[in-house]
Amino acid sequence: MAGTVRTALKLTGVVALVIILIQLHIWINKPWYKFKLMRMQILCVLQTILSYGSYYLYRTYKVSTLWKNVIGITIFLTHFSFFAQYLFVAENPSFLTMIPFLAFSLHVFTFIGTLCGDIGTFLFIPFTIKISIAYQKFKVNFVPTVAIILTIWSYVNTLLPPEHSVVRVPIKNLHPDFNNFHIVHLSDIHVGPTTGKNFVDWLVGKVNSKKPDMVVISGDLVDSSVKNLRTAVWNLKNLKSKYGTFYVTGNHEYYTNDVDNWLNYLRDHLLINTLHNQHRVISRGGGELCVAGVDDLQAEKSGYEGHMTDPLTAVSGCPKESPIIMIAHQPKAAALSIKLIPQLDLILSGHTHGGQFFPIHIPVYLVNPFFAGLYQPKPDTHVFVSRGLRFYGAPTRLFSFPEFTSIYLYPKPE
């Protein structure tokens, strides 16, 4: 009876909390506060979903008390990783910072392996007590071992230098003076709890060694506030190219709750061209090139005044005969731009991380109109989606390696 009462009280408390959060969402009129509250609600939902997975793993594995404690600690660190990304932000991350995120990786790989094994056994293997005992022994020894190997392997992949890929794109009406115009495309650097100044310094040196005409950063540069990451990104000021560095916001800039300060800091202190639904015209010899950029799709939901994805405003005023390069963080924003603007020659995006790790590739591929690499959705329009330079959350790269890209433009043959 007492247990029933306790359960009822817990359920009542959860329901009451949800009602209070919903009511607060209605009461608060300022969109910025609504967005912050919405993120808290999403965090609660994600923790709840993760809790079911944690409970499933804890109950599934019939092991000794010692290993039960190890599982319990891993589960605790996994749940703590959601808060670690806010608490452990420094100029450079330490290995201790990585531990909760590595636990998250291990949790995910173990859960996927265990669930697939349980479902496969249930569907395809005739159930007998003998087979059930054999499977339990196999699962206890095999699945965690594979999960540990995958966690280590995918973490080591994040420590390796990103690949440098080269892409050549034909551009209609490109003036001959822009032939072999060289753009270095960077995306999804995610400076924050797991990426810091050391990586930024390495990246700046690597980009400068390529001697580009222009550098593009297509969003998700940071995962915390200007106050926390000011020194970590400072060396971006030293990116060298003939026509400068161009930047647009990604969804994670809005998650920092500091997007306006970031735009000001990047523009005024790091001398980066921030394209806030704006464009710049580059002149070279007798030709011109219009470089436009849009706010991320998350902008309107964030409640920041004047922030929205507005491709038409971004290209308004571009010279009629000049090719247009659009920078849009999400592939969905690229698709929206193509729908609204007849003349777009090249769109540079990121966001997908190329799936980051298997099997997350599958849902990421399904929900995005462009996944990774170069696409040609129209005869005179190309879209390039970068796999990104780093990762978000779990320090994991499996069958999707980080990259930065040299893009060379050349006139499209008639």
Side-chain angles (χ1 to χ4, degrees):
M1 181 66 180
T4 304
V5 172
R6 281 196 298 270
T7 302
L9 288 172
K10 289 177 182 177
L11 288 173
T12 303
V14 170
V15 172
L17 179 61
V18 171
I19 291 172
I20 290 170
L21 289 174
I22 292 172
Q23 193 60 48
L24 281 171
H25 196 288
I26 296 169
W27 284 343
I28 297 173
N29 293 318
K30 293 184 178 180
W32 185 85
Y33 288 111
K34 282 187 177 182
F35 180 66
K36 200 168 185 179
L37 186 59
M38 181 184 72
R39 289 195 63 210
M40 290 174 59
Q41 290 173 322
I42 292 172
L43 180 62
C44 289
V45 170
L46 290 175
Q47 285 281 9
T48 301
I49 294 171
L50 191 61
S51 295
Y52 282 107
S54 299
Y55 179 77
Y56 166 68
L57 289 178
Y58 194 78
R59 290 296 301 270
T60 295
Y61 284 90
K62 312 297 183 184
V63 292
S64 66
T65 303
L66 174 63
W67 284 110
K68 275 287 187 183
N69 291 335
V70 171
I71 293 171
I73 292 170
T74 303
I75 288 172
F76 169 78
L77 290 171
T78 298
H79 287 266
F80 181 69
S81 67
F82 283 84
F83 304 98
Q85 62 183 316
Y86 301 107
L87 298 175
F88 300 137
V89 180
E91 186 177 273
N92 279 304
S94 67
F95 182 74
L96 289 176
T97 306
M98 290 291 188
I99 291 176
F101 299 105
L102 288 169
F104 182 86
S105 300
L106 180 60
H107 186 286
V108 170
F109 286 129
T110 306
F111 175 79
I112 292 171
T114 305
L115 185 63
C116 289
D118 287 353
I119 291 173
T121 303
F122 177 77
L123 292 177
F124 302 112
I125 300 178
F127 181 81
T128 66
I129 297 297
K130 187 176 181 179
I131 288 177
S132 176
I133 293 172
Y135 169 66
Q136 287 297 330
K137 289 181 178 179
F138 171 79
K139 180 170 67 175
V140 166
N141 291 296
F142 181 75
V143 174
T145 301
V146 172
I148 290 170
I149 292 170
L150 291 177
T151 300
I152 295 171
W153 179 18
S154 57
Y155 175 58
V156 169
N157 286 339
T158 69
L159 302 178
L160 299 175
E163 295 177 355
H164 174 235
S165 55
V166 177
V167 175
R168 290 180 59 81
V169 181
I171 301 293
K172 185 180 179 181
N173 297 328
L174 185 70
H175 194 278
D177 289 332
F178 275 96
N179 188 32
N180 279 327
F181 187 81
H182 179 197
I183 302 169
V184 167
H185 180 204
L186 313 175
S187 190
D188 299 276
I189 302 173
H190 288 287
V191 180
T194 55
T195 299
K197 184 179 184 298
N198 289 345
F199 180 82
V200 172
D201 292 350
W202 174 88
L203 180 62
V204 169
K206 204 69 178 174
V207 171
N208 290 345
S209 72
K210 304 302 176 185
K211 298 180 180 179
D213 293 309
M214 182 174 83
V215 177
V216 166
I217 303 174
S218 58
D220 279 7
L221 170 62
V222 290
D223 280 320
S224 189
S225 66
V226 172
K227 179 182 177 182
N228 290 336
L229 298 177
R230 182 188 308 272
T231 57
V233 301
W234 175 256
N235 206 25
L236 291 175
K237 183 179 181 179
N238 294 318
L239 283 169
K240 291 181 173 61
S241 62
K242 291 180 182 177
Y243 299 97
T245 301
F246 295 82
Y247 161 86
V248 298
T249 56
N251 52 312
H252 282 257
E253 275 80 3
Y254 291 96
Y255 298 157
T256 68
N257 296 319
D258 202 29
V259 67
D260 282 328
N261 285 332
W262 272 118
L263 289 172
N264 293 334
Y265 182 71
L266 294 173
R267 182 185 63 243
D268 299 338
H269 296 274
L270 304 190
L271 308 180
I272 291 174
N273 296 286
T274 54
L275 298 178
H276 178 33
N277 295 319
Q278 297 167 313
H279 70 267
R280 302 285 187 276
V281 178
I282 294 175
S283 298
R284 180 169 176 168
E288 291 181 321
L289 187 66
C290 187
V291 181
V294 292
D295 296 343
D296 184 69
L297 291 171
Q298 194 66 50
E300 289 186 67
K301 297 176 184 178
S302 72
Y304 280 91
E305 187 175 350
H307 287 255
M308 64 186 72
T309 307
D310 192 348
L312 292 173
T313 298
V315 301
S316 178
C318 283
K320 288 185 179 180
E321 299 303 319
S322 72
I324 299 174
I325 296 176
M326 175 70 80
I327 312 169
H329 176 64
Q330 295 194 40
K332 289 180 180 179
L336 174 65
S337 299
I338 293 169
K339 182 180 179 181
L340 294 176
I341 304 168
Q343 178 204 352
L344 279 180
D345 297 275
L346 174 62
I347 305 175
L348 301 177
S349 296
H351 182 64
T352 67
H353 296 201
Q356 188 161 321
F357 65 94
F358 184 83
I360 302 302
H361 299 69
I362 298 169
V364 174
Y365 177 83
L366 292 175
V367 302
N368 285 284
F370 311 108
F371 177 63
L374 187 65
Y375 296 81
Q376 189 176 3
K378 293 168 64 176
D380 297 321
T381 300
H382 288 80
V383 177
F384 181 78
V385 182
S386 171
R387 296 194 302 268
L389 278 151
R390 295 294 283 165
F391 51 85
Y392 178 67
T396 303
R397 281 282 190 168
L398 191 61
F399 308 125
S400 173
F401 297 102
E403 68 174 347
F404 71 103
T405 308
S406 285
I407 299 172
Y408 291 91
L409 309 184
Y410 66 95
K412 182 178 180 180
E414 293 295 336

